[in-house]
Amino acid sequence: MSDLAVLYSFRRCPYAMRARLALKSSGVNVELREIVLRNKPEHMLAISPKATVPVLQLNDGTVIDESWDIVHWATSLQDPNNLRGNEQRISEANQLVTQNDNGFKSHLDHYKYADRFPAFSAEHYRGQGEEFLAALEQRLGQHTFLIDDQPSLADIGIFPFVRQFAHVDIEWFRQTPYPHLLRWFDNYLNANLFASIMTKFKPWEAGQDRIVF
Ligand SMILES: N[C@@H](CCC(=O)N[C@@H](CS)C(=O)NCC(=O)O)C(=O)O
């Protein structure tokens, strides 16, 4: 058995991105197994029948298959960039990420795949998602990052979703009246941390050399 925890991940999944951002930021190494959603490895399905990525299996067999739990696991082990901070900062990040996951993500999916949700137009769904962007803009007008002037769990937890929303129609996104959000977006997009989690890997196959991430 590997001495490293194993992470099943999918490069373009925002939940998996959030987990990889936390792992890279913390410096906790794992064995990365890239998957494709239409062909999930048997081992991944065996340890996590709900069949979503990311999935992390620790060497004692424990399975963590919620991205936000992986973020907490990694940053609790070590947190050189101080993403966590005190209880209040962590709790604020948890609340914002809950809004992202329980509200914004659904608007994002409806906007991105509007043809599958013909009840309303893409613009309608975009407008619903935009309310969250406006709330982020307000925060980012007050400080450099979402919680304060330093990156926190909230920034790595939410950035991948804003990025996906932006890329549905990047020209629209760039002309929105949210200068602070655009600054924050560009800052993260161009950051080495983000580049470091977007390396492309071939889908994992049993028996291959392990990829230490
Ligand atoms: N709440 C889960 C959601 C993960 C999730 O929905 N991941 C998507 C990909 S972005 C997935 O694996 N979907 C299953 C599929 O498309 O087969 C988490 O935070 O980890």
Side-chain angles (χ1 to χ4, degrees):
M1 194 170 187
S2 170
D3 56 329
L4 295 176
V6 169
L7 179 76
Y8 288 100
S9 176
F10 174 57
R11 184 174 173 272
R12 287 186 289 121
C13 167
Y15 295 102
M17 283 183 201
R18 151 198 291 174
R20 299 199 306 274
L21 284 168
L23 288 161
K24 272 289 180 228
S25 171
S26 64
V28 173
N29 286 334
V30 296
E31 175 184 340
L32 181 80
R33 296 184 179 176
E34 177 72 13
I35 70 145
V36 279
L37 292 174
R38 61 173 190 285
N39 187 20
K40 293 169 188 152
E42 303 235 323
H43 178 249
M44 177 188 140
L45 296 174
I47 61 172
S48 180
K50 79 183 172 92
T52 62
V53 280
V55 177
L56 185 74
Q57 185 178 39
L58 311 186
N59 13 12
D60 69 0
T62 307
V63 173
I64 309 179
D65 59 7
E66 281 294 323
S67 59
W68 196 236
D69 294 339
I70 297 174
V71 168
H72 276 289
W73 174 80
T75 56
S76 298
L77 284 179
Q78 50 193 55
D79 187 21
N81 295 322
N82 196 29
L83 295 180
R84 298 178 70 81
N86 63 22
E87 283 303 316
Q88 199 211 315
R89 193 168 186 256
I90 294 171
S91 151
E92 213 179 314
N94 286 341
Q95 283 172 31
L96 208 53
V97 164
T98 301
Q99 286 174 29
N100 178 84
D101 290 15
N102 295 350
F104 181 63
K105 174 64 163 85
S106 163
H107 302 317
L108 162 59
D109 288 344
H110 282 74
Y111 170 40
K112 187 168 178 195
Y113 305 109
D115 50 338
R116 295 184 206 164
F117 304 100
F120 295 100
S121 66
E123 288 72 20
H124 171 86
Y125 298 126
R126 184 172 71 196
Q128 291 182 315
E130 198 179 337
E131 289 176 24
F132 187 64
L133 300 186
L136 299 184
E137 170 70 12
Q138 221 195 7
R139 287 178 163 272
L140 293 164
Q142 287 162 21
H143 24 71
T144 315
F145 293 93
L146 287 175
I147 307 278
D148 51 30
D149 283 324
Q150 301 297 326
S152 72
L153 294 179
D155 298 283
I156 62 159
I158 290 171
F159 172 74
F161 297 84
V162 172
R163 174 178 174 274
Q164 206 172 65
F165 196 93
H167 281 290
V168 177
D169 183 347
I170 192 70
E171 284 174 21
W172 172 83
F173 184 74
R174 291 237 167 257
Q175 58 77 55
T176 53
Y178 305 129
H180 302 292
L181 180 72
L182 290 167
R183 167 200 35 88
W184 173 84
F185 177 77
D186 285 334
N187 176 44
Y188 256 87
L189 203 61
N190 298 324
N192 293 339
L193 178 64
F194 184 66
S196 75
I197 66 136
M198 292 307 281
T199 310
K200 285 188 182 162
F201 295 103
K202 289 203 185 103
W204 174 77
E205 283 176 28
Q208 76 170 49
D209 287 348
R210 74 177 185 183
I211 294 165
V212 176
F213 180 83

